[in-house]
Amino acid sequence: MRKAFLVISITVLSITAILSFVNWKFSLLLFLFIPLILMGLYDMYQSIHTIRRNFPLLGRMRYLLESIGPEMRQYFIETDTEGKPFDRLQRRMVYARSKKQIDTQPFGTQLNVYDIGYEWINHSIRAISFSQIDENPRVKIGSSQCEKPYAASIFNISAMSYGALSKNAILALNSGAKRGDFYHNTGEGGLSPYHLQNGGDVVWNIGTGYFSCRTEDGKFSFEEYTKRAVLDNVKMIEIKFSQGAKPGHGGILPKEKVTDEIAAIRLVSKGNDIVSPPTHSAFTTPVELMEFVKLLRIGSGGKPIGMKICIGNKSEFLSICKAMVETKTYLDFITVDGGEGGTGAAPPEYSDHVGMPLREALAFVYDALNGFGIKNQIKIIASGKVISGFDIIKNLSIGADLCNSARGMMFALGCIQALECHANTCPTGIATQDEKLMKGLVPEEKSIRVTRFQNETVKSAVDLMASAGINHPDKVTRDAISTRIERNKVETFAQVFPELEPGCLANENTVPKEFLYFWNKASIEKF
């Protein structure tokens, strides 16, 4: 191929050069061929890319086709139900609801209802009129130790940091939350001016890097914390242990996205990737965690304090439960993030193979809290691929009290699932700090879409409850949803995830066999 390229190049150059003397138009061809031949010669003698070295110039076509492969598959090859992590039907539903367009579906479902894993809600002959249910149900978050409980919507904006997202995206999300009366989680990247500017309710997520409340050496700063925790916009504080897409790893913000402003907001230096530590330094044991919860509650003036966790070792979560019982100090809420949760950047091994999926995690957390007799103090928030009313009901049935969504809200902003969140090249201006790209996202316009999507999704969830004869989210139980577990076998979630007896984990003698190993391993003195 290399010799053939040289022969063809010399021949083409010679013929074109001769013809250019006959007719000036052939000179244009000469100027066209020379750059191509030079590129081919460079390919022949470079040593980095084998394909280009063996197939000069022609080998470049492989890289070109490979680069546009995702777009070709998304627009011309994928069916409506094949796209990952969200298929075209799901994305289309969000777009339609955010734009207030028709979101109904013609001619029946495109899903195979006989596939293993297919799920549905068990409707009731005694369905309730939609008008008999609150269109915007609220959930009170706040234990008996919380002085300033918060009334939350059942569907809210999940944790997404400024830095991972552009300032225009953050402004649009927060303005949408303000207009729709739901909350906006900051993500672990700190409390930025863009989370506060439009006055939407904020949940301040504090991760292992303690961004916006840290000392110069990265430790927790109570002084910096209290400056921000008492702000009116900040309604709740969330201690982040882990997120579903990369549990046990710590957050990553590539240095390409770290501007002077982001560094100042996070209280870090510029010029390097911002990588959160994998563990907290403010506490090292479950008992110390409870002391930290008390400290945060004092510093916030009595606001709800919770934590975000992707379940890994079950004994560690049971250790936290034991510590709450022993110290009589309760978290106000626990956000459960499933292993299918999203992120701007994570190693593939973490995204694909670390962390318990949301369904199993929700059932475990609910059963653990119920088993220790403390569920009445603590609300559970579900996070992980929640974009529809059915997703909300499904999570409520397993044990959640309310839900968060990140990627659903990004779709409402205009995300096209380009999968470039980590590269600072997001074409929709959402997950980038490139001013040229983010200017295309107009917060005033997109915030309306965020509100519409949230409102329509809550309405859909309420409609489903009414069809099932359920008049309030806290009455959605595990027998509300059925799932196909084999080709010819169907069970409700109540059968798939049988609930524990309340209080059975409070005493070793009554601990169920399936919990006993983890219960014995759990200690309030260590995770």
Side-chain angles (χ1 to χ4, degrees):
M1 184 65 191
R2 289 156 60 87
K3 290 182 179 178
F5 175 78
L6 281 173
V7 171
I8 292 171
S9 298
I10 293 171
T11 302
V12 169
L13 275 177
S14 301
I15 294 173
T16 308
I18 294 170
L19 291 174
S20 65
F21 287 105
V22 177
N23 190 322
W24 66 270
K25 293 181 181 179
F26 287 102
S27 299
L28 297 178
L29 290 176
L30 186 65
F31 284 108
L32 174 64
F33 287 133
I34 287 176
L36 293 176
I37 291 171
L38 290 175
M39 289 170 62
L41 290 172
Y42 173 79
D43 289 345
M44 286 176 59
Y45 293 101
Q46 58 82 37
S47 59
I48 298 175
H49 302 286
T50 303
I51 295 294
R52 284 166 52 188
R53 186 175 173 87
N54 289 339
F55 301 92
L57 198 60
L58 188 63
R60 291 175 178 263
M61 291 297 296
R62 176 189 181 276
Y63 298 102
L64 174 63
L65 293 173
E66 187 178 50
S67 68
I68 64 173
E71 289 80 7
M72 296 293 289
R73 287 191 294 272
Q74 184 179 34
Y75 291 112
F76 301 108
I77 299 174
E78 286 178 0
T79 69
D80 284 349
T81 59
E82 285 182 339
K84 300 295 181 183
F86 291 89
D87 61 45
R88 195 185 306 275
L89 285 179
Q90 293 171 312
R91 301 197 303 270
R92 187 182 296 158
M93 177 192 67
V94 178
Y95 298 148
R97 288 177 174 173
S98 66
K99 297 175 184 177
K100 203 67 174 179
Q101 295 175 347
I102 296 174
D103 65 345
T104 52
Q105 182 171 290
F107 223 65
T109 182
Q110 294 189 42
L111 305 179
N112 186 342
V113 299
Y114 296 102
D115 274 348
I116 294 173
Y118 177 75
E119 299 162 337
W120 65 92
I121 189 168
N122 300 315
H123 67 279
S124 172
I125 293 175
R126 299 287 296 172
I128 300 172
S129 171
F130 301 148
S131 61
Q132 292 180 261
I133 303 181
D134 186 353
E135 290 185 357
N136 188 19
R138 315 299 290 186
V139 177
K140 179 185 174 184
I141 301 178
S143 66
S144 58
Q145 298 165 348
C146 177
E147 297 176 11
K148 296 179 180 178
Y150 175 68
S153 170
I154 62 170
F155 192 48
N156 305 277
I157 301 172
S158 194
M160 293 182 283
S161 303
Y162 171 54
L165 266 58
S166 68
K167 65 181 180 182
N168 285 8
I170 296 294
L171 286 170
L173 289 171
N174 193 259
S175 180
K178 172 69 173 177
R179 182 181 291 105
D181 195 20
F182 50 97
Y183 69 68
H184 178 193
N185 191 304
T186 66
E188 69 170 304
L191 188 64
S192 76
Y194 310 112
H195 289 107
L196 304 173
Q197 181 174 316
N198 291 317
D201 291 349
V202 166
V203 176
W204 183 11
N205 177 298
I206 298 176
T208 55
Y210 305 114
F211 300 125
S212 294
C213 59
R214 59 184 269 148
T215 60
E216 289 186 5
D217 60 351
K219 304 299 183 182
F220 175 73
S221 168
F222 184 69
E223 180 182 358
E224 295 291 345
Y225 167 75
T226 53
K227 288 180 185 177
R228 298 163 177 81
V230 296
L231 296 173
D232 289 340
N233 298 57
V234 178
K235 302 300 181 183
M236 302 196 295
I237 310 297
E238 181 178 78
I239 307 165
K240 178 191 172 183
F241 276 76
S242 53
Q243 69 184 87
K246 50 191 173 192
H249 189 279
I252 305 171
L253 185 66
K255 61 184 178 182
E256 292 79 12
K257 285 188 171 185
V258 182
T259 64
D260 291 330
E261 182 183 39
I262 289 171
I265 289 168
R266 297 194 179 200
L267 304 180
V268 299
S269 57
K270 187 187 172 186
N272 299 298
D273 293 345
I274 300 178
V275 180
S276 303
T279 59
H280 279 272
S281 59
F283 53 88
T284 57
T285 70
V287 171
E288 289 178 1
L289 168 61
M290 295 303 106
E291 293 301 315
F292 189 59
V293 169
K294 290 180 182 178
L295 184 67
L296 295 185
R297 193 170 275 146
I298 292 170
S300 68
K303 296 176 181 179
I305 309 297
M307 74 175 190
K308 177 180 180 179
I309 188 169
C310 177
I311 298 298
N313 292 319
K314 291 182 177 181
S315 59
E316 295 176 347
F317 184 78
L318 295 182
S319 296
I320 295 173
C321 293
K322 284 186 175 182
M324 285 193 280
V325 172
E326 180 69 23
T327 63
K328 294 183 173 56
T329 301
Y330 308 112
L331 291 160
D332 298 296
F333 66 94
I334 296 173
T335 302
V336 181
D337 201 10
E340 64 270 45
T343 180
E349 293 86 352
Y350 278 81
S351 290
D352 295 341
H353 302 292
V354 184
M356 187 181 295
L358 180 59
R359 185 183 304 170
E360 287 76 13
L362 274 179
F364 169 71
V365 169
Y366 177 87
D367 288 342
L369 296 178
N370 195 39
F372 279 102
I374 55 177
K375 175 60 186 73
N376 63 319
Q377 299 281 352
I378 303 165
K379 293 297 186 289
I380 298 175
I381 304 172
S383 177
K385 293 194 77 172
V386 184
I387 64 167
S388 72
F390 180 69
D391 292 335
I392 293 174
I393 298 301
K394 184 169 61 177
N395 290 323
L396 295 183
S397 75
I398 299 175
D401 295 286
L402 58 152
C403 296
N404 287 348
S405 175
R407 287 169 290 182
M409 299 296 178
M410 290 176 67
F411 288 138
L413 288 176
C415 170
I416 60 171
Q417 198 168 282
L419 305 182
E420 296 184 17
C421 309
H422 63 301
N424 204 34
T425 54
C426 171
T428 59
I430 297 172
T432 179
Q433 298 305 313
D434 188 325
E435 292 282 351
K436 295 178 182 177
L437 293 171
M438 76 170 71
K439 71 179 182 181
L441 194 162
V442 181
E444 294 77 16
E445 294 291 332
K446 299 299 185 181
S447 64
I448 298 172
R449 297 189 181 186
V450 171
T451 302
R452 286 173 179 164
F453 166 60
Q454 192 272 352
N455 289 348
E456 292 300 311
T457 305
V458 170
K459 181 179 180 297
S460 172
V462 170
D463 287 353
L464 288 174
M465 285 192 296
S467 296
I470 302 169
N471 61 13
H472 195 274
D474 61 13
K475 294 183 180 179
V476 181
T477 57
R478 292 184 183 179
D479 59 4
I481 304 293
S482 290
T483 181
R484 187 176 298 281
I485 60 172
E486 295 178 14
R487 294 290 291 181
N488 60 347
K489 187 175 181 180
V490 171
E491 291 185 351
T492 66
F493 280 173
Q495 295 169 290
V496 177
F497 306 109
E499 292 189 24
L500 299 188
E501 289 293 325
C504 67
L505 297 180
N507 188 304
E508 184 178 7
N509 297 324
T510 57
V511 176
K513 182 174 66 174
E514 64 270 22
F515 270 74
L516 190 57
Y517 171 80
F518 302 106
W519 194 93
N520 285 329
K521 192 178 177 182
S523 168
I524 65 173
E525 298 300 331
K526 64 177 182 178
F527 287 110

